[in-house]
Amino acid sequence: MARPTGNGQIQAPGRQPCAHRDAGPRSGAAGPGGIHPITQKIGRKMKGSQTVIRALTLLRHIAAIHPHGINVGTLAELAALDRATAYRLVSSLVEFGLVTRDASKNYRLGIEAMQLGLAAMRSAPIIDRVRPVMQRLARRTDDTVFLVVRSGDYGHCLHCEEGSYPVKALVLQVGGMRILGIGSAGVTLLSALPDDEVEALYKRHFEELKPRGPSIAQLKKLLGETRQRGYADTNDLVTDGVSGVGMRFEIETGSHAAISIAAINSRMSAQRKAWIAGLIAEELRTGNFLPGLAQSPEQQVVPAAT
C-alpha cells in the first residue's frame, strides 16, 4: 500500500530511484530514445507534481459538496480530466482513507480527511486572529457571536463567544456545518456568489433546504437585500423566535468568513440590528479585516453611537 512520504507529499507511483552516476551516459550524452538524462529527470519530477495537483484538485471538489456526495463522472468534468484518470486518482484517495465511496458510487470525505480537518480546526490561525474581535463584540452586545467559514456549499462554524445575556441563542454548534443560505452567516457568505451559482447550489440541495429553507425567490430577495446593505438580517430562519445579523469579511484573497450575532427576537429590533452591524464592521476593521461592503454608498454600515 502506498504511503505519504516523510515530507507530507504523496509519492508518485512508478517513480524510479536515480541511477548510479557511473552506470548512466556521460554528461551531455543522450539517454534511451535520444533524450538527455537531465530532461528525463525534469519530466519525471513534473509528472509527479502534476499527479499530486490533480489528486488534490479532486479532493477539493469532493470536499465542496461532501455531505451530498459526487460521482466520478462529475468529478472528471469539474477537474477537466478523462474518466479513467479521475477514477485512478480518486481510488488512490480512497486507499489513503481521505475519501470514501458509498453504495451509490458517490464519493465523500473519508475519516482521514476529517481527522486532518479537526486537527487544523483546533489551532486554525483564523480563530486566533478573530477571537479578540468576537470577545469584544460579545461584551458590547451581551449576545452570542459566531465565526463561520465557507467550505464549498456549506458554512462551517469554527468558534463562538457567549455574551452575558441569560437567554442564549445557540443556533450553531462549533464544528457543525450548514448549507449556505440558512442563518445569517450562511446568507451573508452566499451573497458573495452570483445568482447563477446561487441557483445551482439551491438545485443541488433542494431536498435539504425544502423542510425549512426559503424558496429560491425568497432566497434571492434576501440575498439582494444583503448585498445592498452590506450585512444579513434574518428572522426565524433557523429557529423560531431567534433573529440574527451576519457580515462576511475576507480572510485571504478570494476566501471569506463571516461573523454573526444571534439573539431572541425581543432583543433584535431593526434599530438594534443596524447598531450591531455597525459594531461588527467597526471591530473587524480594528482587527485589520475588510468587512463586506454595501452596494449602495448611502447604505454603508457605520457604527451607531452607544
Side-chain angles (χ1 to χ4, degrees), residues 2-37:
R3 286 288 185 271
T5 62
N7 61 6
Q9 297 180 338
I10 299 174
Q11 178 89 18
R15 182 76 176 265
Q16 299 296 321
C18 296
H20 192 276
R21 179 177 297 178
D22 292 339
R26 297 186 309 275
S27 176
I35 302 175
H36 194 284

Side-chain angles (χ1 to χ4, degrees), residues 58 61-62 65 68-79 83 86-87 90 100-102 104-108:
L58 293 181
H61 286 308
I62 293 168
I65 49 176
H68 184 69
I70 186 171
N71 60 50
V72 70
T74 304
L75 270 176
E77 183 179 352
L78 289 173
R83 188 185 181 96
Y87 180 78
V90 78
T100 184
R101 189 173 88 153
D102 64 20
S104 301
K105 299 183 179 180
N106 286 326
Y107 294 92
R108 295 179 174 82

Side-chain angles (χ1 to χ4, degrees), residues 177-222:
M177 298 181 73
R178 181 180 290 157
I179 300 171
L180 296 180
I182 300 297
S184 56
V187 169
T188 189
L189 288 170
L190 190 60
S191 70
L193 302 183
D195 283 345
D196 59 337
E197 293 187 29
V198 171
E199 291 172 2
L201 182 147
Y202 192 91
K203 183 178 180 181
R204 285 195 297 271
H205 301 285
F206 177 75
E207 292 300 323
E208 296 168 82
L209 288 163
K210 186 168 59 175
R212 188 169 184 89
S215 67
I216 185 62
Q218 292 171 327
L219 180 59
K220 290 173 76 172
K221 180 176 183 292
L222 182 58

Side-chain angles (χ1 to χ4, degrees), residues 131-274:
R131 184 183 286 113
V133 172
M134 298 175 68
Q135 290 172 339
R136 290 193 297 269
L137 285 169
R139 285 196 301 267
R140 296 178 73 177
T141 65
D142 295 325
D143 292 316
T144 307
V145 185
F146 299 93
L147 172 63
V148 178
V149 297
R150 183 186 172 195
S151 178
D153 290 357
Y154 292 80
H156 186 181
C157 180
L158 292 184
H159 186 64
C160 79
E161 292 285 343
E162 295 183 21
S164 61
Y165 193 74
V167 181
K168 313 292 185 186
L170 301 177
V171 293
L172 281 169
Q173 291 184 335
V174 174
M177 298 181 73
R178 181 180 290 157
I179 300 171
L180 296 180
I182 300 297
S184 56
V187 169
T188 189
L189 288 170
L190 190 60
S191 70
L193 302 183
D195 283 345
D196 59 337
E197 293 187 29
V198 171
E199 291 172 2
L201 182 147
Y202 192 91
K203 183 178 180 181
R204 285 195 297 271
H205 301 285
F206 177 75
E207 292 300 323
E208 296 168 82
L209 288 163
K210 186 168 59 175
R212 188 169 184 89
S215 67
I216 185 62
Q218 292 171 327
L219 180 59
K220 290 173 76 172
K221 180 176 183 292
L222 182 58
L223 294 176
E225 294 169 348
T226 299
R227 294 176 186 128
Q228 286 294 318
R229 71 169 75 92
Y231 64 92
D233 176 344
T234 62
N235 299 293
D236 305 316
L237 194 56
V238 176
T239 304
D240 290 333
V242 173
S243 296
V245 174
M247 183 176 293
R248 63 182 169 85
F249 60 98
E250 194 170 65
I251 52 178
E252 57 186 52
T253 304
S255 182
H256 291 89
I259 281 182
S260 67
I261 295 180
I264 57 176
N265 286 347
S266 61
R267 288 177 56 77
M268 296 294 252
S269 65
Q271 182 179 6
R272 188 169 189 270
K273 284 182 176 180

Side-chain angles (χ1 to χ4, degrees), residues 10-13 15 43-53:
I10 299 174
Q11 178 89 18
R15 182 76 176 265
R44 287 195 297 268
K45 184 176 181 180
M46 291 178 66
K47 184 177 180 180
S49 299
Q50 187 180 54
T51 299
V52 173
I53 291 169

